[in-house]
Amino acid sequence: MALMTYAQAACGALAEAMEGDERVVALGEDLGRGGVFGQYAGLAQRFGARRVIDTPISEAAILGAAVGMALVGLRPVVEMRVTDFALCAMDELVNQAAKNRYMFGGQGRVPLVARLPAGMWSASAAQHSQSLESWFAHIPGLVVIAPASPADNYALLHAAIACDDPVVHHEHKELWSLTGEVPQGHRVPIGQAGVLRPGEDVTLVSWSKTVHAALDAAQAAQHSGLSVEVIDLRTLWPWDRETVLASCAKTGRLMVVHEAVQAGGFGAEIAATVAEQLAIPVRRLGAPRIPVGYAASLEAEARIGSQRILDALLEWMEGRGRRRIAAAND
Amino acid sequence: MALMTYAQAACGALAEAMEGDERVVALGEDLGRGGVFGQYAGLAQRFGARRVIDTPISEAAILGAAVGMALVGLRPVVEMRVTDFALCAMDELVNQAAKNRYMFGGQGRVPLVARLPAGMWSASAAQHSQSLESWFAHIPGLVVIAPASPADNYALLHAAIACDDPVVHHEHKELWSLTGEVPQGHRVPIGQAGVLRPGEDVTLVSWSKTVHAALDAAQAAQHSGLSVEVIDLRTLWPWDRETVLASCAKTGRLMVVHEAVQAGGFGAEIAATVAEQLAIPVRRLGAPRIPVGYAASLEAEARIGSQRILDALLEWMEGRGRRRIAAAND
Amino acid sequence: DSDAMSIPEDSAGISARRLMALYRTMVRIRAFEDAAEVASRGGVAAFGAALDAHAAQVRGPLHLSTGQEAVPAGVCANLSRADYLTSTHRGHGHAIAKGADPCAMMCELFGRANGTNGGKGGSMHIADFSVGMLGANGVVAAGIPIAAGAAHAIRIRGGDAVVACFFGDGAVNRGPFLEGLNWARIFDLPLLFVCEDNRYSATTATAAMTGGEGAAARARSIGVPAECVDGNDVAAVDAVAGRLLARVRAGGGPQFLHAVTYRLKGHVSVDPAAYRSRAELDRAIELDPLRLAERRLDAFGIGGEELGAIRAQAQAEIARALEAARASSAPPPEAAYADVQDCGAGRWR
Amino acid sequence: DSDAMSIPEDSAGISARRLMALYRTMVRIRAFEDAAEVASRGGVAAFGAALDAHAAQVRGPLHLSTGQEAVPAGVCANLSRADYLTSTHRGHGHAIAKGADPCAMMCELFGRANGTNGGKGGSMHIADFSVGMLGANGVVAAGIPIAAGAAHAIRIRGGDAVVACFFGDGAVNRGPFLEGLNWARIFDLPLLFVCEDNRYSATTATAAMTGGEGAAARARSIGVPAECVDGNDVAAVDAVAGRLLARVRAGGGPQFLHAVTYRLKGHVSVDPAAYRSRAELDRAIELDPLRLAERRLDAFGIGGEELGAIRAQAQAEIARALEAARASSAPPPEAAYADVQDCGAGRWR
Ligand SMILES: Cc1ncc(C[n+]2csc(CCOP(=O)(O)OP(=O)(O)O)c2C)c(N)n1
Ligand SMILES: Cc1ncc(C[n+]2csc(CCOP(=O)(O)OP(=O)(O)O)c2C)c(N)n1
Ligand SMILES: [Mg+2]
Ligand SMILES: [Mg+2]
């Protein structure tokens, strides 16, 4: 049991994986100096530049090379710095990594982990703030993970590295310094959600940073007499349908909240699935379909904070929302 | 009124737009020879290589250059050959074209049309068969279109070129030779769905090539006494929520069918929206989450044909589906 | 092919035995592709051609390397089975030259369960990992970073293997060309780049789309030594590739081979290639690498009979392949759900 | 700036008046960035720095071009307002040199409604289309194809404007560098590429990541003529840029300027740049382009007083900018929904 940051937890998991399996290598820009968020601190010193590889600013080659490395026996962990830059490597991720095993008839495997830090990074504006997990969940061949806590980042990065499939590991840009307990040898299997708070009246599903807002909202809702069950999905694909459906069957209502744009977000998949299977009332709360603006007042419009979640819950459940969910929600 | 193919309809619309506005240019690989599907036939001869521009195999530069062209007063129509290759230009489309106007505070506009032919193209396997419309619908700043008929391709390409926003225009790879009537001067506004067949019992929403399968299934369902209303969405963003909701309110049931992978497909957005707003039963039918295989027997598993739609409808509506929807539907 | 190292610098020094082996490889590729072309009629809708699902045994786009056989034959004669190769959309020649079984390949083109890829890939994704052929690719230039990564893995893990990375002249205008070559250079990887310059990027003359002196100049500017070769002269390709691969194996880092050749067929099987003149094609036919090799072998005193036997063997091999492909069965529908991914397998919607 | 054409080949021939103008531009950039840096303390979480939302007036990553001012100053002295410029994440200097108003820029950095971008972009997207400054960009090398397209539009529509495309040394390893240069070459576009080589790609020494002879060699291999210049010598930059832009304007097609300079601050404002030695930094400080220009002006007999006045003016300008920025208001929440798109506006979920 140790107290560590989300970045340190990832660093620890990677170090252990590299210690335990010499096929594990890390590659990306600036890794030799520990990565710009410290998530690789000390690794180059410990494992050498041969295994903690500094790369040119060549996202396509970084991901493409990782595919080649994986085919020839390595287990590369690829750093993309932010999801937004991974857009420079979409062919490599979606056409190559995800489809290699299938289109070659199972001759090879591509056990790579693509770390795509997602979400906003305070005041970084439109090109550094995207949450695109629904894109990757849509792509056959990819596993998609989005941990919300240091413990889960530790455990799920371990699981991702151990996985024989290409995994998109979405850390959150604003969680790097979040501190939490990480139990020694902690493990969480891919595909297992966590019920973080039990409740009776409504199921609140979220992932990544928004989980914390969801928990706060659930706490606050308690004061209004509303019992909210909070589920941290943790894995987007394969998502833990059993846990979500069981909770929804119990509470009879589902709300999915996420930081990504609501339209076409992964909340739609969950809400649609639950509506199809259980025919219970469902709601979603995601960002409005706007780019993230720079000024705090603009950025705030795209944030799904606890107040907004609480308002949406109360407005829906009891018709006593304190204000409109989002000024411009039409 | 003229009978023409889907490719000819697009060619005609582009020719008219170029005739009417000298700011309209087309660029892409092999355009000078009419494009490999004939969708640019004769245009280079008519408008010259200055306006019908042959490009190197440089998808990133093609889309990036189109952004620059648009900022400096042109209205470029960009050919990507297949959606799958546009993955080589995702930064340019999503980070640059879609966000330019916003992140620069409205100083510029990017009136470009990105033609991304979507869907399967018989026996072309995993890297030439993708339907990614839900990706683009998820991106603020983009308009997304997917016409199903020659008339709509004609009208919507006109509308896309006239639009001041960046538009993703998804033609379908297997519709190029589809023939149909195109009324002289035909126009369809972006955002307007078409009710192709009125019905009472269930609303069937689709777009692009799957519309034809949906119509066939509706026709066949009639024999089983089921009255199916078929809506061709035509525009994915902004989608015609009013028409869909009105139809659903009338029929009391919604099924969305599409060629794209069901998980994270745009059907989830429609189903979730309808479930939220009307609390009626909803169903989706999209492709299983598998890459498209080459052999006909494998490819068939990923196809959403009329029989599969009919089976799903009947199984849902009357519990008398003739066989399991998809062998591997879990 | 350990004698690769001892080839004289001058390709004229090639032995008759070696030239016959190279010729055999080329003939086998030609026979395979000729047969595939016939079997593919009606199989693809593009360039105005319509689908005829009944007629076609080989469906989907078929990119023939007819006229370019000397490049894979010459290069792969200097590779061993343990070496790796990445290919393009035009990959039949690379596969055969690297040692893939044409029968399994033909089964793949026919979409059979016993094809190299189990029917999942077809021509555009033809691959045989068991001989180090890491796959044809539907995306131009996509193989370049993959090859760099494969070579990087060799460097990290140790071992003698090298990687040969094939791509076309059109690929030099895609970003991954720059990124992949730079990668190979700075990490000093055991990698031979092979640009198969057939002068065309689909229907477009590549020269008009390419600034500067072309592929080799670009490679050199990135620090990758480059040589040019007549890509229709299989002995020359063999000699130069052998020399470059010897440097690669000796730890000399990445090398680049620019092989100038010509695509005798259209871009895909259905492309009538109306954008080039009859005269251009006629000149090119004169330079058909098989004819060149035959003339050369003739000078060695190896005549019609011996060459006829090689051709007959190749024909027989392909006849057997066609027969097997016809007799084999398609993958069952369930196979569509195999090899997607381990984690989440069984969850299709 | 029509006298740009008449500058002697030798930068030593620069007039005192012109050098003073260049110096003024550099001083204005320096003053702007120094002030922005102070205002940004606590504004970004990276390199171990924590957010302090109360302290920070300028939030988010701030990339300072301190030490590199001679490049935009020298290049933009040869551009007119009608010309276009594309920039990088490190764009303050480009904007000021191209004629943007530092007051509106500072308001943008403060996230004000009256900022250049209405508060939507901040430092990383600083832009002033009204002076042809088409925007800083958060994605390395993304400006290159955009610049090619802008120049292409000029070529198609006619007119005398040219485009200057700035990017860093790290950008030469991204695919769009190749694609954009090739595009400019084959379409013969009116475009000056400017590589601001500050030796670093974030925390990484670019040389170790770059194969071959570097930026200029790569440009030449693509057919784009290239010259190198001491990017800290503003007169030299002015002279060489002037010569290259004269060629561009005369229809000579794209040209390439490789300007070698140095980034005196960290990659972003919070980066202590611990990866480089004090000695390296000290040497670089000696070569600070402002000091070099001051020495040169001194040789012209232009002394402390006149230069002090220039600096004081710049300080005053920035003081006014800061004041305005502090006094201005943030965009209202509704503004978040403006300028997304016309078609579908009002539909946010
Ligand atoms: C990224 C990408 N863009 C476009 C295509 C369509 N395409 C397939 S092959 C080809 C021409 C490739 O030319 P070259 O690299 O010279 O190879 P060749 O076909 O001549 O063997 C094109 C444009 C593609 N497959 N991938
Ligand atoms: C495609 C992409 N990859 C990575 C980054 C992160 N990043 C921002 S600036 C930078 C260094 C750029 O180096 P260079 O081009 O030399 O410009 P400089 O910062 O030195 O001005 C990096 C890696 C990015 N913005 N875009
Ligand atoms: Mg070619
Ligand atoms: Mg730099």
Side-chain angles (χ1 to χ4, degrees), chain A residues 25 27 50 53-56 58-62 64-65 67-69 71-74 91-92 95-96 100-109 139-143 163-165 190 237-239 241-242 269, chain C residues 84 116-118 120-121 125-130 134-137 139 142 145-146 148-150 152-157 174 176 179-180 182-183 186-187 335-344 347-349:
Chain A
V25 300
L27 62 158
R50 207 177 52 100
I53 304 165
D54 267 332
T55 70
S58 305
E59 279 73 11
I62 296 170
V67 173
M69 288 176 175
L71 290 175
V72 179
L74 298 180
D91 173 57
E92 291 72 20
N95 285 332
Q96 310 301 333
N100 189 292
R101 176 176 170 189
Y102 192 86
M103 73 188 183
F104 297 134
Q107 297 186 68
R109 296 285 170 102
I139 301 299
L142 295 180
V143 169
C163 178
D164 282 337
D165 304 316
I190 292 172
W237 196 271
W239 63 284
R241 199 149 43 170
E242 294 65 33
E269 178 63 30
Chain C
Y84 296 97
T116 46
N117 305 26
K120 286 203 164 111
H125 302 305
I126 200 86
D128 186 349
F129 284 34
S130 72
L134 295 180
N137 207 306
V139 179
I146 294 175
H152 205 146
I154 293 168
R155 184 142 196 85
I156 290 174
R157 305 186 69 195
R174 276 210 65 224
E179 297 190 10
N182 185 60
W183 191 285
I186 64 170
F187 295 112
Y337 303 87
D339 281 317
V340 179
Q341 59 195 85
D342 288 343
C343 188
R347 267 288 284 289
W348 309 121
R349 285 194 165 85

Side-chain angles (χ1 to χ4, degrees), chain D residues 8 36 46 68 95 115 147 150 190 228 239 319:
Chain D
Q68 307 180 198
C228 297

Side-chain angles (χ1 to χ4, degrees), chain C residues 5 9 35 40 89 150 250 260 266 311-312 325:
Chain C
M5 308 296 158
E9 291 276 307
S40 81
H89 53 287
V260 180
R311 285 194 296 267

Side-chain angles (χ1 to χ4, degrees), chain C residues 262-265 272-273 276-287:
Chain C
Y262 194 83
R263 191 192 72 201
L264 289 174
K265 299 285 171 84
R276 62 189 184 187
S277 69
R278 185 69 230 180
E280 175 181 322
L281 184 60
D282 285 342
R283 270 194 309 277
I285 289 173
E286 279 308 304
L287 301 173

